[in-house]
Every structure is written in structure tokens, then in C-alpha cells.
Amino acid sequence: MNLARWLEYAGRNRPAAPAVGRGARVLHDYAGLAGRVARLSGALQSSFGLTPGDRVVIAAKNGPDYLETLYAVWHAGLAAVPANAKLHGAELGYILAQSGARLCFASEGLDAEIAAHAPQSLERLIVLGGRDYEKLLASDAAAIVERAPDDLAWLFYTSGTTGRPKGAMLSHRNLAAMSEAYLAEVDSASAGDAILHGAPMSHGSGLYIMAHVMRCGVNVVPESGGFEPEEIFSLLSSWPRASMFAAPTMVKRLVDCAADCPAENIRTIVWGGAPMYVEDALRALDRFGPRLAQIYGQGESPMTITRLTRDDIAARDHPRWRERLASAGRAFACMDVKVAGADGASLPAGESGEILCRGAPVMRGYWNNAEATAQALQDGWLHTGDIGAFDDEDYLFLKDRSKDLIISGGSNIYPREVEEVLLRHPGVREVSVIGRPDREWGEAVVAFVVGEASPAELDALCRSAIARFKRPKDYVFLDALPKNNYGKILKTELRARDAKAAAGRGPGGS
Ligand code: AMP
């Protein structure tokens, strides 16, 4: 088995079908892409002597060469380690060292930073699109190196909202299962259908490359290499029926973009990776119509735990429609998902516990980290670290990461519940709720708010919607919330800032 096999088939069966788009134009057809990949694979084996299982880091901005290096790595029987181009050189250095990669492909401009932090294990650094890279593309084409289904294909470094990132080991089988689940239950794709990669290809968006290659679709990279709403809208005119993956913050930016957007040109916007608040989902639905789907997954079970389908999101007449918009939907058919108590036993509907899952997409473990693997994988179940509850119709409601849970006066408070209410205020653009250590309550609820609203108005809103003990005891107004490179709000940083501010105020200060 080898994921590169699907590309080889596409090259043979639909040689002239567009495979890669750059901006508005077709850059490669399938015969062209398959040929480039086979030659690059030849170079990886002959010029560098890489052998099956060796890791290759791809530290690159979104670009067409991302895709071809990814497939060339697989074609040569190697394992890809995609790393976000926005990481600091020291963070990239950590990933290079921890993965033991021998080779790194990097975007132009990132190479100096990487070289400055490169570990000894790294033998070569190749700049994508540079002269050395072009030379590699002139090598002799190689045949695909066969792999076993469980062999490592993608070492997925978790986005690390806390601590050092860990490398989730995703095999060829994991990624094939993930792609099939996507095509069956999230979004269908046919030959010629495009996916726009505005979100980072090292993460969610890149994980959807394979499904589109399987169906001979077109992987399109915006000229800017990033997520610019105006550019995305204009690309939709060139690539009608395009889909895209977007984090909730990106969907919000699309909704807020004043430019004209031909909504009917959108096949599907798939969101996931972080909570989408109901108010934001409603606005997206109003703007784009029934073209939205949600996935819940994590690097350890890539893009595939539960999904809220396009029909669920658009079913305005359903009595539970609005309620379900706050959920992450039902389990993918290939997954068993349960909400468990501390003993691992399933809890009844309505009760909150840790979300556990098992199924074909679930990782084999963390690279070189037996301790973290033993914690995450127990008795065949992946412990997600997320807290949630099922309703009586198997819709999963995510609460928060267990570490974000606030315990105040002995009661559990899920930040998301409070955030959903605060976001109903028209002046609130973004909000994040954390627990502040408190001598009397254990933790006190504190809301960080971006926007214009008075604490009194926000308090009145909370009083009208949630139990009094869940109301924030303090509101802190900020210009922006701290986020990581994938747009996830860094509650750890908010907690650290809050602690620092408290230390500045001294004992008894408020
Ligand atoms: P990562 O491994 O970086 O993709 O992060 C995965 C984490 O993001 C999950 O464990 C959840 O906490 C969160 N997450 C992913 N998808 C969703 C979603 N649809 N709604 C809310 N949170 C999500």
C-alpha cells in the first residue's frame, strides 16, 4: 500500500485532467504531476540515499511544491513531516531534531532561519523552487516503493497550545481511511472539482489533498499562499464548485469580507479545529447558504471523530436545528466514539466526560514518546483530552479541553457555555473565558473580550441566560486575543497574562 498509488493511477487514467492550480490557472495536469513526483522520488533515493521510513520535513508556505514533495516523499517510501511555515526557527529546530529527519524542504526565506536552528541529524536543506530543487526534478523517474499499511506516512506535530508539540504517527492506512471518510460523509468530489488551500497545508487543509487526488480533483493554492478572503472570493469565480477547509476564525473573516462572493460557486466550506459559536455559524449560513459542514478531529485522529453534515446545518425546519448547530454532530461511520467517566466506561446521554474514540484513522502513537502514547492510547481507545456529552440522538456536544474546565465553588463551568452567551452581544467580536485562581472560590470566571460592550451589559446578558455562578467575576478588554498559527486561541497565554497582571496588583488587589 502507498498513498502515492492514487496519484500514479490518476496520472495514467486521467493524464490531461487538471491536478494542481496556482491562483486562477492550471499549473499541472495529472500526467505532469505524477511525472514530477516520480522524478523527485528518484532523486530522494539516488541523490541522498534516503531509505524507507526516513523522515523528511516539509517546512513550507502553501504552494504547489508542497504537494509534489509530499507525494514524492511517499512515492520513495519515506515519511513526511509537514511543519507550519509560521513557526519560529527554534520550534522548527525542535521538530527537525525530535523527528530525526535527514532532509528538509523549506520555502525560500525560511532556509536561513532553519539552518540557524538545524540539529546535527539534518543532512540536507533544500529550498523549494530553488536551483537545487529544479535539478532534482531532472532526475530519473523511480518506481513506487511499496509500504505496509501501518508504515508511517505523516508525522503530524500537534499544534501545541500547551507544552512541546508531539508527533502523532499517521500511517498510510490512517490517511486513506480518513480520506475515504471525508468523501463519504463530509463532501463528495468528482474529477475536476477543486479544493482551495487557503488554510495551512501542514494541517487540516493539507489533510484533504489526498481525497482530491483520489477523485482526480484539483488542488488549488492561492497566489498569496495564505488565507485572504478577497482572494478566495475571486478564486471562486475561476474554480466554481470549489470546497475549502477553514478554521472558524477564517470562516468569520469570509463572512465579514465586504467583497462580492458568488455563494453558488462554493461547493462546501468545511470548518473544524476549534469551536464555532452558534451566532457565527448562523451568520455563515445566512451568507453562504447550505454549503457548510463541520468536522471534529485532532492530529491523533485526523479530521475524523464526528461530523455535522451540510443537511444538519441547513435544516432550519428541524425542531432541534439551532440546538444541533452547537454540536459537533454524530460519529463518522468508521469511528466508535464514547463519552467516558474516569473508569473508561460509557456515560449516559446528557452526562459530560472525556471523549474517547477508536477506528481506522486513529494514530499508531507518538513518535519516540512511549509515555505520552501510553497515556493517549489505552485499551485501543484514543483519549482525546476533550470533554463532551452526547444527546439522546447521538449528537456530540463538545465542552472544552479538560484542562480549560473551570471549577468554581466546587461547580464545573465550561468556558464555551459562557462564551456562547457573551457573543450574543452585538458589540462583542471575540471572547475567551478562563479560570483565575481565587482564594474563596478555587477559581473565578474571567472573560477576555474584544469589542465594545460594558461589563454591566455583559453581566445582564449572562443573568438572562446562564446560572449566576457561571457569570464572569471580571471582564478584561483586549484589542486581540492571543492565537497560535492555526488560529486557536491560546488560553494558556491568557492565563499567564492574567497571573502576571494579578502579581502586579499585589495581594488583595482586584
Ligand atoms: P489539533 O490536533 O491541533 O487539530 O487540535 C485538535 C483539537 O481542536 C481537538 O482536540 C479539539 O479540542 C479542537 N477541535 C477540533 N475540531 C473541533 C470542532 N469542530 N469544534 C470544537 N473544537 C474542535
Side-chain angles (χ1 to χ4, degrees):
M1 184 185 196
N2 191 323
L3 289 162
R5 189 70 75 203
W6 277 279
L7 174 61
E8 188 182 56
Y9 287 172
R12 275 196 211 140
N13 299 338
R14 287 187 180 262
V20 182
R22 177 89 217 227
R25 68 197 169 90
V26 176
L27 191 66
H28 303 302
D29 59 20
Y30 269 101
L33 178 65
R36 288 169 73 87
V37 162
R39 294 195 297 279
L40 199 50
S41 158
L44 290 174
Q45 297 169 70
S46 61
S47 308
F48 305 119
L50 296 177
T51 53
D54 280 346
R55 275 83 52 216
V56 175
V57 168
I58 308 173
K61 301 189 190 112
N62 284 5
D65 24 27
Y66 204 111
L67 210 132
E68 75 193 17
T69 45
L70 186 64
Y71 272 90
V73 165
W74 290 333
H75 193 284
L78 311 167
V81 188
N84 190 312
K86 288 190 193 149
L87 292 179
H88 186 275
E91 294 169 307
L92 291 171
Y94 175 79
I95 290 175
L96 283 162
Q98 213 273 337
S99 65
R102 293 174 59 192
L103 182 81
C104 174
F105 287 108
S107 301
E108 196 183 346
L110 270 181
D111 47 321
E113 176 100 357
I114 291 175
H117 293 90
Q120 284 210 322
S121 46
L122 186 71
E123 294 165 23
R124 279 295 290 273
L125 177 61
I126 309 256
V127 178
L128 289 169
R131 219 181 312 139
D132 287 349
Y133 185 74
E134 291 305 322
K135 266 198 230 151
L136 298 180
L137 283 165
S139 305
D140 289 337
I144 288 186
V145 174
E146 265 318 313
R147 300 266 67 200
D150 285 335
D151 282 341
L152 183 63
W154 183 314
L155 202 47
F156 185 105
Y157 278 86
T158 54
S159 57
T161 47
T162 47
R164 290 282 207 186
K166 298 187 285 280
M169 294 190 282
L170 304 176
S171 65
H172 287 261
R173 194 207 308 261
N174 293 149
L175 296 178
M178 174 205 74
S179 305
E180 279 155 11
Y182 168 81
L183 291 169
E185 295 183 50
V186 181
D187 193 24
S188 63
S190 314
D193 282 343
I195 176 157
L196 304 183
H197 294 289
M201 287 164 92
S202 55
H203 215 85
S205 198
L207 285 162
Y208 286 161
I209 294 173
M210 291 79 84
H212 288 81
V213 170
M214 285 174 167
R215 289 288 165 89
C216 300
V218 200
N219 281 285
V220 178
V221 188
E223 210 66 70
S224 71
F227 197 92
E228 300 301 334
E230 294 202 0
E231 185 182 22
I232 300 271
F233 285 170
S234 120
L235 277 179
L236 283 168
S237 311
S238 309
W239 302 100
R241 274 184 53 75
S243 288
M244 70 191 94
F245 173 76
T249 46
M250 297 172 182
V251 178
K252 225 168 140 181
R253 285 177 61 206
L254 290 177
V255 171
D256 290 339
C257 178
D260 233 18
C261 171
E264 58 285 358
N265 280 351
I266 300 174
R267 190 161 85 252
T268 310
I269 299 176
V270 183
W271 89 72
M276 169 86 103
Y277 300 102
V278 174
E279 293 303 314
D280 293 333
L282 288 171
R283 288 177 64 227
L285 190 57
D286 284 345
R287 174 130 199 209
F288 301 118
R291 298 178 182 87
L292 301 161
Q294 181 195 178
I295 60 93
Y296 157 54
Q298 57 176 206
E300 294 81 348
S301 183
M303 313 302 266
T304 322
I305 299 177
T306 63
R307 82 287 185 273
L308 189 66
T309 64
R310 173 201 300 260
D311 289 348
D312 281 328
I313 295 173
R316 288 181 191 265
D317 295 338
H318 192 284
R320 286 182 156 183
W321 165 69
R322 207 176 187 289
E323 186 186 323
R324 284 179 179 172
L325 270 189
S327 80
R330 287 169 158 150
F332 275 89
C334 63
M335 297 296 293
D336 295 327
V337 182
K338 66 176 174 180
V339 166
D343 59 358
S346 292
L347 293 171
E351 282 189 32
S352 295
E354 189 181 7
I355 298 164
L356 272 50
C357 65
R358 67 179 178 196
V362 172
M363 68 163 182
R364 287 168 38 205
Y366 295 112
W367 178 260
N368 272 347
N369 196 338
E371 199 184 321
T373 301
Q375 267 177 21
L377 294 174
Q378 292 173 30
D379 300 326
W381 290 88
L382 170 68
H383 288 239
T384 63
D386 291 320
I387 299 181
F390 277 114
D391 71 4
D392 55 0
E393 289 183 302
D394 300 330
Y395 281 75
L396 180 66
F397 288 73
L398 289 172
K399 308 287 175 174
D400 279 284
R401 304 284 301 162
S402 42
K403 61 182 170 21
D404 293 331
L405 177 73
I406 301 170
I407 304 179
S408 186
S411 301
N412 287 359
I413 301 169
Y414 295 105
R416 179 161 176 190
E417 218 184 333
V418 185
E419 290 160 0
E420 291 272 12
V421 173
L422 295 174
L423 276 164
R424 290 186 205 155
H425 190 290
V428 172
R429 286 197 297 281
E430 284 190 304
V431 68
S432 186
V433 165
I434 62 158
R436 174 188 289 166
D438 184 278
R439 233 180 283 155
E440 191 179 351
W441 298 100
E443 281 183 298
V445 179
V446 179
F448 287 82
V449 180
V450 179
E452 286 82 40
S454 70
E457 286 164 0
L458 295 174
D459 194 55
L461 194 58
C462 288
R463 268 185 285 132
S464 72
I466 46 173
R468 296 180 76 87
F469 72 90
K470 296 180 185 171
R471 286 150 53 214
K473 301 259 185 313
D474 193 10
Y475 291 92
V476 181
F477 291 85
L478 298 176
D479 291 336
L481 295 175
K483 297 193 181 123
N484 74 6
N485 290 317
Y486 297 107
K488 286 185 205 270
I489 295 168
L490 292 169
K491 289 198 187 238
T492 31
E493 193 169 321
L494 283 176
R495 280 191 282 263
R497 280 191 201 177
D498 198 56
K500 210 166 153 195
R505 287 192 295 269
S510 66

